[in-house]
Amino acid sequence: MFRHSLVALAVLAAGDALPSRSAPRTDADGAAQLVDVRALMNAAVGAPTLICVLAARSINNGWLRGGRVPIHPLAGANQERSWEGRRALSSDDTDFLLDRLTSGDGCARELAVQLLSRGENRAARDGLTRHLRSGDAELRAVAAFGLGLIAERQSVEPLLAAVADADPAPRANAVWALGRIRDPRALRPALRALDDRDARVRDAAAETLGHLDSTAAVGALARHLGSDDASEVRRTAAWALGQLRASEAIDALAGALRRDADPRVREMSAWAIGNLERGSADDALLASARRDDDPAVREMAVWALGARGDHGNAAALADLLASERESSVRATAAWAIGTMRPASAPAGLVSAVNDESDGVRERAAWALSEIRDASALAAVRRALRRDDNGSRTQRALLRALVRSGETDAQLLELFDDRDPKVREYVARSLAGGNHVDVWPWPMPRPRPFP
């Protein structure tokens, strides 16, 4: 175990630098910056999944989001990954790593293909293409994975051929890799793969179709959203429809939001509806926001209502602020009302400045600052006197005061506040123009990935 821990630690220490078999470079203090490729690969053999995942992520220099891989070289390690920041590999190291892909060890394959994808040389791509024709189905799947990481158009033709592979693992990864490259030639093969007998291939096909920006895929994706027996495929189909902004699929998405048994599918369907510019599914979103058993689905439904921006739903969301038990849903409801900017602040939103949750109070204050309703001033003043601990919520409340028309006399009383940001806001307001920073901007939910 200690030896395997060195795999992760060595790559973490290397940071942005790519391991090299050559003599390591040193920093100003003489400390080595690079690690030996061959020593790293030898230490990787048999490493536990967690250690290998850490090392692979470190090679990619960060913990950023990326796409899932249908068939991963390392079993159980379908992790998020970053694609950026390539460095050159020597030809000897490239040949060595291509050979290690044939070893059959999961961790060795994982690290080798990650390192190869970081190298900006044709030899890595050509070697992976050769492996794509191997008699070993697992090696063909790893090769397709590597070509997807590299994501160059020169790989499209061999990947198109691999879509017809007799084994589902290479088929799935080839379809996924084509989506990474986003070449329009992948459209027809991906549509055919959407009806593959293997769910992993169908899932990869749905993701690829979401990347290809073609309305030709909408009907097939909507069909699988409603009928595929694999929940992962239904979820990815919903994501793809949202990615394509397929307003013609709004009924299918609303149906999935109402009826799908898997909460992840319902959540993704709500997200997709929030990305559509036309059509109405407000009834389905409101029903989910009020009654869905899963708080993540309720929150996403609320987010979608905010993203669509119809201020006619503000009163319903304000009622939700009083009845919803999850603070995350209440906070997003407050944010959504602020994005809608109704003509007046709903009573439920004004009351939310007294919510037990800091996050809800902050977002309610931000929403009031967007609506700019002077009738809420008294409630905001009282809340500001209670929230006097220099918090983000206090500054959000001050922004609500300033933007709702607070008098200079009332603002002058805040010049003695211990929070310099509060004093700055007061000074800006008194200087004229009501130029208060947009901060604090409550972040909406991040975009889900398939």
Side-chain angles (χ1 to χ4, degrees), residues 118-410:
R118 286 285 300 271
E120 292 181 321
N121 56 39
R122 179 177 176 179
R125 187 187 71 236
D126 290 348
L128 290 169
T129 302
R130 287 195 302 274
H131 285 327
L132 202 58
R133 299 189 292 270
S134 166
D136 179 350
E138 289 186 7
L139 181 56
R140 297 198 301 274
V142 172
F145 170 42
L147 291 173
L149 292 182
I150 294 172
E152 293 179 352
R153 290 189 182 276
Q154 293 90 329
S155 301
V156 169
E157 290 298 335
L159 287 169
L160 288 172
V163 172
D165 198 285
D167 192 279
R171 287 203 308 275
N173 279 3
V175 173
W176 170 83
L178 288 166
R180 286 269 300 132
I181 300 171
R182 305 189 183 200
D183 190 287
R185 289 172 287 178
L187 177 61
R188 289 183 182 277
L191 282 169
R192 289 194 297 271
L194 197 58
D195 290 320
D196 195 277
R197 63 184 179 274
D198 191 285
R200 294 168 299 183
V201 180
R202 300 196 303 275
D203 187 32
E207 181 177 341
T208 290
L209 291 169
H211 287 308
L212 293 181
D213 196 21
S214 172
T215 57
V218 171
L221 288 167
R223 173 168 54 85
H224 279 271
L225 172 61
S227 64
D228 202 286
D229 58 6
S231 61
E232 277 300 315
V233 179
R234 300 196 304 274
R235 180 176 183 267
T236 305
W239 172 85
L241 291 168
Q243 187 80 354
L244 295 173
R245 300 221 181 333
S247 295
E248 58 270 41
I250 196 165
D251 290 341
L253 289 164
L257 178 58
R258 288 189 181 100
R259 295 183 291 274
D260 200 281
D262 191 320
R264 298 174 306 155
V265 178
R266 300 197 302 273
E267 181 185 12
M268 189 66 82
S269 297
W271 173 83
I273 292 170
N275 282 273
L276 305 185
E277 296 177 356
R278 299 186 306 277
S280 177
D282 288 2
D283 290 346
L285 290 170
L286 283 169
S288 292
R290 290 167 175 151
R291 294 188 289 274
D292 198 282
D293 293 337
D294 192 291
V297 179
R298 297 199 302 274
E299 185 179 357
M300 189 62 80
V302 168
W303 173 87
L305 288 164
R308 291 173 70 80
D310 183 352
H311 59 76
N313 294 314
L317 291 181
D319 291 342
L320 195 68
L321 282 167
S323 61
E324 171 59 47
R325 61 187 180 274
E326 293 287 337
S327 62
S328 61
V329 183
R330 298 198 305 275
T332 301
W335 167 84
I337 296 170
T339 65
M340 294 172 179
R341 296 184 181 177
S344 60
L349 178 65
V350 177
S351 297
V353 296
N354 300 309
D355 195 277
E356 63 185 16
S357 164
D358 289 345
V360 177
R361 295 198 305 276
E362 178 188 338
R363 284 158 180 77
W366 174 85
L368 289 172
S369 74
E370 292 295 293
I371 298 169
R372 306 189 187 200
D373 185 351
S375 67
L377 280 171
V380 175
R381 285 190 205 109
R382 289 192 296 271
L384 185 59
R385 284 194 291 271
R386 286 190 298 272
D387 261 301
D388 61 353
N389 58 355
S391 66
R392 288 169 53 97
T393 304
Q394 184 185 20
R395 297 197 288 271
L397 286 163
L398 179 59
R399 183 174 190 261
L401 278 182
V402 171
R403 302 193 82 198
S404 299
E406 183 61 287
T407 65
D408 288 353
Q410 292 279 356

